[in-house]
Amino acid sequence: IMVIPVFGILLMIPGVVFLILGGAAAENFEHYGVSTATLEIEDIDMLGDQGFIIFVKGTPGDNNGNGIHDYCENIIVNATHSGDWMSTPWNAESTPNAADETRQVFQLEISHDGSGCDAQHWPKEKWKNDTQLVKIGRACYGCMAGNTTITAEYYTSTLDLTSAPMWIQDGEALVESTLTTILGAILTG
């Protein structure tokens, strides 16, 4: 009878550790406040990568009533990739495609696939050093091994361009942190 509580405590300790590690990893950024970044994708499994999740300074809301979050209106984000890529990754129709460095690999996605920057959807938000960050999109979803270059700029009505700071998360690391958190929750439970 005394074995069950001891066994439970022995499972709970690593469970709590996994919960803490998973939660901390979910908040990590590859780059902080940069307007240009070149990131490497290794894609060890050759199935494509989760890509990079991009946040910018901003506040959700559509003050001018045009159906688009205001923080999306005057920003241009571009991303290109030097390696091959998978179309429709991680399903039966997945097919590898040859590298095309002119192909745009950034997609506007504030909450989930297909959300664009529609004000009907609330963006994912994070706070970093008292700075409110909102998700603007994802770059290189399904890309295979190679280098991804991401740039962001704000433009004004006179078409002047200025650097737009980005905070970039590694999508693969985010998936791993989610799995670690789930494992921690199971062991703790």
Side-chain angles (χ1 to χ4, degrees), residues 26-39:
E27 297 302 315
N28 284 344
F29 287 97
E30 291 289 309
H31 289 281
Y32 305 85
V34 297
S35 60
T36 300
T38 299
L39 303 141

Side-chain angles (χ1 to χ4, degrees), residues 21 31 33 79 82 93 97 122 166 177 185:
L21 291 174
H31 289 281
S82 67
E93 291 85 39
N97 296 279
W122 201 254
M166 300 178 288
S177 75

Side-chain angles (χ1 to χ4, degrees), residues 12-28 173 176-188:
M12 191 169 77
I13 293 170
V16 170
V17 170
F18 283 138
L19 279 171
I20 292 168
L21 291 174
E27 297 302 315
N28 284 344
E176 291 171 10
S177 75
T178 301
L179 294 175
T180 302
T181 302
I182 291 170
L183 178 61
I186 290 169
L187 290 174
T188 302

Side-chain angles (χ1 to χ4, degrees), residues 137-166:
R138 179 185 295 268
C140 226
Y141 184 76
C143 289
M144 300 173 82
N147 291 319
T148 303
T149 301
I150 307 167
T151 61
E153 298 174 303
Y154 289 114
Y155 63 91
T156 63
S157 59
T158 60
L159 297 180
D160 291 331
L161 297 172
T162 59
S163 299
M166 300 178 288

Side-chain angles (χ1 to χ4, degrees), residues 91-186:
N91 69 39
E93 291 85 39
S94 288
T95 53
N97 296 279
D100 177 2
E101 291 193 55
T102 63
R103 184 175 79 93
Q104 179 59 246
V105 297
F106 172 77
Q107 65 186 48
L108 194 59
E109 171 190 299
I110 62 169
S111 61
H112 60 277
D113 190 27
S115 63
C117 203
D118 193 320
Q120 294 179 24
H121 304 285
W122 201 254
K124 292 183 179 174
E125 299 177 74
K126 294 188 181 290
W127 285 87
K128 196 72 176 171
N129 300 331
D130 296 328
T131 302
Q132 183 177 10
L133 305 176
V134 283
K135 182 178 177 186
I136 187 114
R138 179 185 295 268
C140 226
Y141 184 76
C143 289
M144 300 173 82
N147 291 319
T148 303
T149 301
I150 307 167
T151 61
E153 298 174 303
Y154 289 114
Y155 63 91
T156 63
S157 59
T158 60
L159 297 180
D160 291 331
L161 297 172
T162 59
S163 299
M166 300 178 288
W167 284 255
I168 303 172
Q169 280 189 304
D170 183 339
E172 289 282 312
L174 194 59
V175 168
E176 291 171 10
S177 75
T178 301
L179 294 175
T180 302
T181 302
I182 291 170
L183 178 61
I186 290 169

